[in-house]
Amino acid sequence: MAENHKAGEGVPPSNTPKAKPQKELYPMTSWKYDAFLHTFSVLVDLFFREVHPRGAWRVPRSGPILFVAAPHANQFVDGLVLQRTLKQEANRRVGLLIAEKSVHGFIGWGSRQTGSVPVGRAQDKAKPAKGLIYMPDPINDPTLIRGIGTDFEKDAEVGGMIFLPSIKGQSGSSVDIAKIVGPEEIRTKRPFTSQLSLFQLTGRDDIDSQGKFGNEDLTGPKDGYEGTKYKLAPHIDQTDVYKAVFTRLRSGGCIGIFPEGGSHDRTELLPLKAGVAIMALGTLAEDPNCGLQIVPVGMNYFHAHKFRSRAVVEFGAPFKIPDDLVEKYKNNQRRDAIAQTLDMVHQALSAVTVSSPDYDTLMCIQAARRLYNTGRKLPLPMVVELNRKLAIGFSKYKEDPRIVDLMDNLRDYNKQLHYLNIRDHQLSYARMTLLRVVFTLLYRVSKLLVLSIGVVPGLVLFAPVFVATKYISHQKAKEALAGSSVKVQGRDVMATWKLLVAMAFAPALYNLYSISLAVKVYQDNLWGYVPAAIPFWLVYVIAWIIFPAITFAAFRIGEVGMDILKSLRPLILCISPTSSYSVQRLRERRLELSTQVVKVINDLGPDMYDDFEKSRLVSDPFRDDGFLSSREESGIPTIRQEGESAVSSPPDSPGVVRRHTTRSSRAIPRNESFSNIGAIGMFATRPPSRSRSRSSSAGGGFGSAGFPVSGFTSLDSHEGFQEANNKIRAAMKERSQLRRRKSGVSLNDEESDA
């Protein structure tokens, strides 16, 4: 609970009244929390092939922490993954904020075991209201909303919210109600500003993407326009929620929040809710010395809704709210303080998430990453980091002609891959000879047949669960999409429903299998194959062990089998006379695109990052171990300088010939030169950690010691070596003097002896 503070100096401790510990509204019991996570973490291990933590060493091991996680792309699975990762990597227990409408059934029981705080949300209580609404004067009076056939005095309330419907995948807007003028007029706290909302409320088509009207002489809606449908939500009192959060944080606990609000399946972050800022500022306003820190968490999924997918949970650097913002919050300047805090949180989340304006752009960014990182398999955290940097670059230079042309080419390349129904990395099969392709195909088919022996029994046993989870999850996705204004396809709820259905259906199904087997043994000893001495109840127990074991083995073997099965189609295409030419042409197109991607990145990269050459995540992609089998094939000239080894470089790209480096390091790939000597384990400024969270979460490769740190000095010149030599000599001299002082020999005696 919250610590007691002294009333002042000079007051005897015995006379200081002790504040009674404040009872939490939603308490967290440690053993219940640990037991729940230990039991249900197996769901994460079964559903995901890999959950990779990154940066967990940044999480403080003590003190109050407000974890802000985004994007909220996997509904209740997000919370389970976050809690499991924090407990395993940082030994911190975190209570999550959960929607009040979800606190029932199994989800409600689980939330109570982990000390979650239920939150009422306006969108959950919004209901369609009668009549239509429109803006009578969007130019001069944009906060006035007028209705036709409405009864705002009965249906609406001050402090409530008004919601507009979503159209064609675009989320509808919402605003707070400031005043009820009459049954057919209300005023909002702020005007609707988006292009879609203004179109819905005016029917006019002269609105640009910034929400500006082209013809300002026309102050009203379009002639004959009656209005749009809408929803109304009552005012939500969050006093108990904030009280519970303040108490938990002031007592040194942790709170986790998804500041976007509800879950969604969009490729960009939604606007952050003000609640996260109010929680942080309110806690510090009550106890400025509590030491509250905010830790951003990036929930990065690869196909979040699919079974046996992958995820990277990335923790950003913790930060504190400046004192001046807390003072503003306390001195009735809350709006400004909340806005600045939200900006800080959004900026921190942008550093641990990958955000793009739409799905098509995200696919182009991922294609660019694969083309840039030609022929190499990167660790998952590095894949996320490279995607993030490319997304930032594409967003910054989206109007640049080079980026526009590259994006068009990437879209066309993705369409060709989709048409052939193959993946980017599978184009490497086109380099193989026909004989080798045939041999590889036969070998993989035979391997697949052998693996099917271990897969088919478990697949048959679990098939009803697969069918049920797929059908129900798709139905729930449709329901969620119909009731949401921000979802695109409703895929954010699919993983949750797959797990819930499997948890309920699988035990019942395997119980049926076990009972059926026991009954058959009781009737005729399983056609005489089971000895009569074995009781049927023992058969039931053994069946409960064997059937799940067969299914689990099928899952693990099936992963390998699915990878092999997916690799057969490109091999068949390479053999087929009608499609082999298309695959070969697409591979040649890939080589051209790879050259273009590298050139654009090398041209624009130094403009974005001053230390581009040192901070780049992958070295020069054009090496012999990639898809580009030779430098001549890629059209890259070889530059030679007198007395130096050859250095390959894309034509006309800045920063390719490395300057200010020693001759011995020029032959080394750019991110492996002596300039980055701190990345090698034996020269790292911090020793390698035995902690799994530090070593695994950093995502570093060989010799990274868990931290991709820079070198402690630059050894690129004679002056650099001389500086290092002087420092070593000075340190040795100081150490020698300290040793002599301890032995009782003074420096003067030493000099006189000399």
Side-chain angles (χ1 to χ4, degrees):
M1 304 305 293
E3 296 181 358
N4 298 322
H5 300 280
K6 294 182 179 180
E9 295 183 1
V11 181
S14 58
N15 297 333
T16 303
K18 293 185 178 180
K20 294 183 179 180
Q22 190 173 4
K23 185 178 180 180
E24 290 194 42
L25 295 175
Y26 310 100
M28 176 190 294
T29 306
S30 297
W31 71 267
K32 289 183 179 180
Y33 185 98
D34 295 344
F36 178 86
L37 277 189
H38 181 75
T39 303
F40 292 98
S41 288
V42 66
L43 298 177
V44 178
D45 296 325
L46 288 175
F47 189 84
F48 293 101
R49 181 178 297 193
E50 179 182 4
V51 177
H52 194 112
R54 187 187 190 203
W57 56 270
R58 293 190 174 103
V59 179
R61 292 329 192 239
S62 61
I65 304 176
L66 181 60
F67 292 98
V68 288
H72 196 3
N74 232 352
Q75 207 182 28
F76 300 116
V77 177
D78 280 337
L80 183 60
V81 170
L82 177 60
Q83 289 177 322
R84 172 183 180 269
T85 304
L86 282 172
K87 189 66 177 68
Q88 290 183 349
E89 302 295 328
N91 196 28
R92 297 304 303 264
R93 300 180 182 91
V94 55
L96 301 175
L97 269 66
I98 183 173
E100 188 178 12
K101 73 169 187 176
S102 303
V103 185
H104 58 81
F106 173 77
I107 299 297
W109 174 81
S111 67
R112 289 188 291 273
Q113 308 312 305
T114 56
S116 298
V117 180
V119 180
R121 301 184 304 180
Q123 60 264 37
D124 295 334
K125 299 185 178 182
K127 296 181 180 180
K130 62 181 180 180
L132 303 174
I133 59 173
Y134 67 97
M135 296 176 68
D137 190 358
I139 304 296
N140 302 315
D141 196 357
T143 61
L144 179 63
I145 303 295
R146 186 169 294 168
I148 300 177
T150 59
D151 190 358
F152 293 136
E153 292 179 336
K154 179 181 178 181
D155 299 334
E157 61 179 275
V158 176
M161 297 189 71
I162 182 169
F163 292 84
L164 299 181
S166 57
I167 297 179
K168 296 180 180 180
Q170 298 186 54
S171 58
S173 302
S174 61
V175 294
D176 297 322
I177 299 175
K179 181 181 179 181
I180 299 177
V181 181
E184 293 187 345
E185 279 191 356
I186 59 174
R187 285 198 175 275
T188 58
K189 288 186 178 180
R190 58 180 179 83
F192 288 96
T193 57
S194 67
Q195 182 183 22
L196 176 61
S197 61
L198 292 175
F199 171 76
Q200 291 174 309
L201 292 168
T202 63
R204 294 171 55 171
D205 54 6
D206 61 335
I207 309 170
D208 61 18
S209 59
Q210 303 298 322
K212 303 295 183 181
F213 289 91
N215 182 13
E216 295 190 356
D217 295 333
L218 177 62
T219 59
K222 182 179 179 180
D223 292 339
Y225 185 72
E226 295 184 353
T228 181
K229 296 181 179 180
Y230 65 102
K231 292 182 180 180
L232 290 175
H235 172 67
I236 306 296
D237 185 7
Q238 304 286 19
T239 303
D240 289 342
V241 174
Y242 290 122
K243 182 179 179 181
V245 171
F246 295 161
T247 303
R248 180 76 57 81
L249 292 176
R250 285 163 48 203
S251 64
C254 301
I255 287 290
I257 181 174
F258 295 90
E260 297 171 288
S263 62
H264 65 93
D265 55 349
R266 308 184 78 87
T267 58
E268 59 183 344
L269 294 179
L270 298 181
L272 305 184
K273 305 296 183 182
V276 62
I278 297 175
M279 291 172 186
L281 292 169
T283 302
L284 292 171
E286 291 188 1
D287 188 358
N289 300 319
C290 67
L292 174 65
Q293 298 187 74
I294 300 177
V295 176
V297 185
M299 310 295 292
N300 302 287
Y301 294 99
F302 297 82
H303 308 291
H305 65 289
K306 290 187 177 181
F307 182 65
R308 302 305 289 170
S309 56
R310 293 179 171 88
V312 174
V313 182
E314 183 170 357
F315 298 92
F319 65 94
K320 295 183 178 181
I321 303 296
D323 295 337
D324 60 325
L325 292 185
V326 180
E327 291 300 322
K328 284 185 177 181
Y329 183 82
K330 294 164 63 176
N331 295 329
N332 204 23
Q333 300 181 34
R334 293 192 171 188
R335 184 179 297 274
D336 188 27
I338 291 173
Q340 292 187 47
T341 302
L342 287 178
D343 289 341
M344 295 174 61
V345 173
H346 189 276
Q347 184 177 1
L349 285 174
S350 299
V352 293
T353 57
V354 180
S355 184
S356 64
D358 51 60
Y359 182 78
D360 182 59
T361 303
L362 180 61
M363 292 299 100
C364 290
I365 290 171
Q366 293 186 359
R369 183 254 304 165
R370 291 190 295 267
L371 293 168
Y372 182 63
N373 182 50
T374 302
R376 293 170 178 80
K377 184 175 178 60
L378 295 176
L380 280 183
M382 191 172 290
V383 170
V384 173
E385 181 68 19
L386 191 53
N387 283 342
R388 182 184 304 121
K389 288 194 173 186
L390 290 175
I392 295 173
F394 276 61
S395 175
K396 182 177 181 179
Y397 298 104
K398 59 184 178 181
E399 304 297 335
D400 191 291
R402 291 167 291 184
I403 293 295
V404 174
D405 180 60
L406 178 59
M407 292 291 284
D408 291 339
N409 292 335
L410 290 173
R411 290 189 185 95
D412 181 66
Y413 175 69
N414 283 336
K415 289 180 180 178
Q416 294 181 52
L417 287 175
H418 182 72
Y419 175 77
L420 292 175
N421 195 19
I422 60 177
R423 299 184 178 183
D424 173 78
H425 69 274
Q426 294 174 336
L427 289 176
S428 60
Y429 296 136
R431 292 188 302 168
M432 301 166 59
T433 62
L434 180 61
L435 182 62
R436 186 179 177 186
V437 170
V438 173
F439 175 79
T440 303
L441 178 61
L442 294 177
Y443 171 73
R444 292 185 179 180
V445 169
S446 60
K447 191 175 181 180
L448 193 61
L449 292 175
V450 174
L451 292 176
S452 64
I453 299 175
V455 174
V456 172
L459 182 62
V460 172
L461 290 173
F462 204 72
V465 180
F466 273 130
V467 174
T469 54
K470 186 172 183 178
Y471 175 78
I472 295 177
S473 63
H474 278 83
Q475 293 299 315
K476 292 297 181 179
K478 292 179 181 179
E479 294 177 9
L481 182 61
S484 173
S485 60
V486 298
K487 301 182 191 298
V488 178
Q489 293 180 304
R491 289 181 173 179
D492 53 297
V493 305
M494 293 181 67
T496 295
W497 279 103
K498 286 179 180 179
L499 288 175
L500 291 176
V501 172
M503 286 173 56
F505 189 29
L509 181 65
Y510 282 86
N511 190 53
L512 177 63
Y513 290 155
S514 301
I515 292 176
S516 301
L517 181 61
V519 170
K520 187 63 178 175
V521 170
Y522 178 77
Q523 290 177 346
D524 56 8
N525 293 330
L526 196 62
W527 298 288
Y529 289 103
V530 177
I534 298 180
F536 72 94
W537 61 266
L538 182 59
V539 174
Y540 174 82
V541 174
I542 295 176
W544 251 110
I545 298 174
I546 293 179
F547 287 150
I550 293 175
T551 305
F552 181 75
F555 285 162
R556 302 309 300 267
I557 300 174
E559 288 182 12
V560 181
M562 284 301 299
D563 292 338
I564 296 175
L565 182 63
K566 293 176 182 178
S567 70
L568 298 183
R569 177 175 174 79
L571 293 173
I572 296 174
L573 292 178
C574 291
I575 296 175
S576 173
T578 58
S579 57
S580 59
Y581 177 74
S582 299
V583 176
Q584 185 62 37
R585 285 292 303 272
L586 188 56
R587 176 178 174 269
E588 295 174 358
R589 177 59 176 159
R590 188 191 194 281
L591 298 178
E592 298 172 359
L593 264 180
S594 184
T595 305
Q596 183 182 5
V597 168
V598 173
K599 187 178 187 305
V600 170
I601 291 177
N602 286 342
D603 286 347
L604 300 179
D607 295 336
M608 287 189 60
Y609 304 99
D610 295 335
D611 58 344
F612 173 71
E613 288 300 323
K614 290 185 178 181
S615 64
R616 61 192 305 160
L617 295 177
V618 295
S619 58
D620 195 340
F622 295 101
R623 295 172 62 180
D624 293 338
D625 54 351
F627 284 176
L628 302 181
S629 57
S630 66
R631 294 182 176 89
E632 290 74 19
E633 180 183 71
S634 62
I636 300 175
T638 300
I639 302 175
R640 293 182 181 271
Q641 298 183 9
E642 184 178 356
E644 297 179 358
S645 58
V647 180
S648 62
S649 168
D652 303 326
S653 60
V656 173
V657 180
R658 290 179 293 125
R659 300 176 176 86
H660 310 297
T661 56
T662 59
R663 292 186 177 184
S664 59
S665 67
R666 287 194 182 110
I668 302 176
R670 269 171 285 195
N671 65 338
E672 298 174 13
S673 68
F674 294 141
S675 303
N676 197 21
I677 196 171
I680 308 302
M682 63 180 296
F683 296 110
T685 56
R686 296 186 68 170
S689 171
R690 294 183 180 271
S691 171
R692 185 164 62 91
S693 65
R694 297 196 177 195
S695 60
S696 64
S697 61
F702 168 75
S704 64
F707 297 86
V709 295
S710 301
F712 53 78
T713 185
S714 175
L715 303 181
D716 292 341
S717 63
H718 175 73
E719 291 78 8
F721 280 105
Q722 188 64 36
E723 179 185 356
N725 186 39
N726 292 337
K727 289 183 178 180
I728 293 174
R729 289 179 178 275
M732 293 178 63
K733 183 177 180 180
E734 182 180 358
R735 185 175 181 181
S736 177
Q737 292 174 354
L738 289 174
R739 187 167 56 248
R740 290 190 179 93
R741 290 193 188 101
K742 291 181 180 180
S743 62
V745 179
S746 66
L747 294 179
N748 294 332
D749 294 340
E750 182 184 1
E751 292 175 358
S752 61
D753 292 341

